[in-house]
Amino acid sequence: MCKKSMCKVIAAMVVVALRLGATTLLQEGFEGSTFPPSEWQNIAVNGDYVWQKYQGTNNPGGYNAHGGSYVAMYNSYSASSGYSARLITDT
């Protein structure tokens, strides 16, 4: 069994990459000044707590950025019970 902070904190590294073999299916650095980027949606599903952008390890989980300076993170540890959000793109 994992600790609440490890189970609940969902983090997207600065570079989100899904890989199938050697083909990159999705990559986003979240390095731009606008968050989320224009082709992304930050949707509060339950409650009003959404994903946030943090610089470097200056985030609740202390995670390092991967290949850049920023991390997209949903810190459910700080959200009220039952809250959830989605950070999605269709590109």
Side-chain angles (χ1 to χ4, degrees):
M1 177 149 268
C2 58
K3 294 182 180 181
K4 182 178 180 181
S5 61
M6 295 302 289
C7 291
K8 294 275 193 164
V9 176
I10 301 170
M13 298 168 114
V14 167
V15 175
V16 176
L18 302 175
R19 295 192 180 267
L20 178 62
T23 303
T24 300
L25 300 176
L26 174 67
Q27 181 170 327
E28 176 59 62
F30 300 113
E31 296 294 315
S33 59
T34 302
F35 183 80
S38 60
E39 62 274 4
W40 289 73
Q41 297 178 52
N42 195 357
I43 303 167
V45 177
N46 293 310
D48 59 359
Y49 196 81
V50 294
W51 286 72
Q52 298 173 12
K53 176 180 170 179
Y54 295 95
Q55 186 171 12
T57 58
N58 184 25
N59 63 72
Y63 298 106
N64 290 318
H66 181 274
S69 300
Y70 293 92
V71 176
M73 178 180 220
Y74 183 81
N75 183 6
S76 64
Y77 186 78
S78 295
S80 296
S81 179
Y83 280 21
S84 62
R86 293 182 181 145
L87 184 60
I88 60 173
T89 186
D90 59 1
T91 58

